[in-house]
């Protein structure tokens, strides 16, 4: 199976006079269509690693490859285009626009890309909404739906551009155990249905065990890498 994304000898330092090393020579590959969890204590480097994979932050040194092509030397405009076309994001706090309804929030990434919203795109949005179980709330404003429904909306928004990779940072951090299980089961089914690579940061080892691979970070290095 081919690799979707690969990191080679990634380091990340913060500060100039006394640099703090957050990531220390990280090398890791993620196969196309895989379902991965990254765990570790606060301060272990999980979110920094995710931001670097998502081209939201730059490594101090090392290389990032997408489909075998080195991408971290591209200029900001080129990286932004690559990110918008290939990577979807799911965050703990959703970052949905409260003044918009569910349907409008799901289409937002297409508007950011300045795409014309074609009938084909609308059909894809409807298909994704059905897959995540929110068809009946399409016209509801964000502040009028539950936390679990908001997270399902965020997942649908991440899928709308048909990304190769979805990066999820504590996607169930604000949910109760029932909704957390529902969201992780949904992610697993979407991973299988769309063959999208998922990389999920979580503090919950119980939920991480629902994935196919657990990577544990400790003090900026990979402590363990386990296939399930």
């Amino acid at each position: 199976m081919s690799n979707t994304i690969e990191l080679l000898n990634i380091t990340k330092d913060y500060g100039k006079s006394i640099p703090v090393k957050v990531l220390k020579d990280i090398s890791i590959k993620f196969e196309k269509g895989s379902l991965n969890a990254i765990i570790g204590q606060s301060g272990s480097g999980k979110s920094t690693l995710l931001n670097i994979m998502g081209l939201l932050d730059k490594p101090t040194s090392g290389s990032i490859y997408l489909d075998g092509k080195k991408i971290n030397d591209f200029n900001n405009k080129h990286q932004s285009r690559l990110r918008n076309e290939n990577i979807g994001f799911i965050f703990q706090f959703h970052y949905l626009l409260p003044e918009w309804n569910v349907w409008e929030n799901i289409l937002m990434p297409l508007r950011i890309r300045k795409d014309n919203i074609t009938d084909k795109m609308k059909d894809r949005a409807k298909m994704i909404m059905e897959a995540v179980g929110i068809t009946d709330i399409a016209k509801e404003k964000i502040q009028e739906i539950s936390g679990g429904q908001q997270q399902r909306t965020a997942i649908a928004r991440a899928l709308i551009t048909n990304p190769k990779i979805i990066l999820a940072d504590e996607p169930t951090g604000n949910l109760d155990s029932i909704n957390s299980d529902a969201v992780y089961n949904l992610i697993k089914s979407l991973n299988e249905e769309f063959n999208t690579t998922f990389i999920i940061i979580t503090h919950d080892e119980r939920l991480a065990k629902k994935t196919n691979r657990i990577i544990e970070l400790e003090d900026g290095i990979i402590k363990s890498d386990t296939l399930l």
Side-chain angles (χ1 to χ4, degrees):
M1 188 179 291
S2 62
N3 296 314
T4 304
I5 189 166
E6 178 179 357
L7 307 181
L8 186 62
N9 304 124
I10 293 292
T11 68
K12 180 62 180 181
D13 302 343
Y14 288 105
K16 293 183 178 180
S17 57
I18 305 177
V20 176
K21 289 191 174 295
V22 178
L23 298 177
K24 306 167 186 175
D25 199 31
I26 297 278
S27 292
I28 192 166
K29 302 176 182 179
F30 296 93
E31 291 185 345
K32 178 178 173 58
S34 58
L35 179 58
N36 313 270
I38 300 177
I39 64 172
Q41 297 296 317
S42 295
S44 61
K46 303 186 305 299
S47 292
T48 299
L49 183 62
L50 202 76
N51 287 339
I52 286 173
M53 285 191 283
L55 301 177
L56 299 174
D57 198 359
K58 296 180 182 294
T60 302
S61 63
S63 303
I64 307 168
Y65 295 88
L66 182 66
D67 289 337
K69 181 182 295 185
K70 186 177 179 182
I71 60 173
N72 57 301
D73 289 338
F74 292 162
N75 62 35
N76 289 339
K77 185 177 180 179
H78 195 172
Q79 285 192 12
S80 179
R81 182 174 62 80
L82 281 173
R83 181 172 57 248
N84 291 338
E85 291 177 353
N86 295 283
I87 303 172
F89 295 90
I90 306 169
F91 299 104
Q92 178 178 351
F93 297 105
H94 316 314
Y95 297 110
L96 300 168
L97 296 179
E99 66 274 20
W100 287 8
N101 64 31
V102 168
W103 174 257
E104 292 166 334
N105 269 277
I106 290 170
L107 293 179
M108 182 176 64
L110 299 176
R111 300 190 188 284
I112 289 174
R113 292 196 329 194
K114 299 182 179 178
D115 288 345
N116 292 320
I117 309 300
T118 64
D119 288 341
K120 184 177 180 180
M121 290 174 178
K122 291 178 181 178
D123 287 342
R124 176 172 173 81
K126 292 174 184 176
M127 179 267 293
I128 292 170
M129 289 177 70
E130 184 175 355
V132 303
I134 55 172
T135 302
D136 59 334
I137 60 167
K139 295 183 179 180
E140 298 287 344
K141 293 289 182 67
I142 295 304
Q143 65 266 30
E144 297 170 350
I145 62 178
S146 70
Q149 289 171 325
Q150 288 181 24
Q151 194 58 296
R152 287 171 180 266
T153 301
I155 292 170
R157 180 186 59 187
L159 287 167
I160 189 62
T161 58
N162 195 24
K164 296 176 181 178
I165 304 161
I166 288 186
L167 303 176
D169 193 353
E170 298 287 358
T172 62
N174 285 328
L175 302 178
D176 59 32
S177 59
I178 294 175
N179 277 307
S180 292
D181 283 340
V183 166
Y184 265 85
N185 289 334
L186 174 61
I187 286 173
K188 190 174 183 68
S189 68
L190 293 171
N191 163 253
E192 293 170 354
E193 181 176 353
F194 294 106
N195 198 35
T196 303
T197 304
F198 278 81
I199 304 172
I200 304 164
I201 282 180
T202 180
H203 279 96
D204 192 334
E205 291 190 39
R206 179 181 62 87
L207 296 177
K209 289 177 181 177
K210 292 180 180 289
T211 67
N212 306 128
R213 181 188 185 191
I214 299 178
I215 299 136
E216 183 176 6
L217 291 189
E218 184 177 273
D219 296 328
I221 64 172
I222 296 174
K223 180 181 178 181
S224 62
D225 188 346
T226 307
L227 294 175
L228 303 178

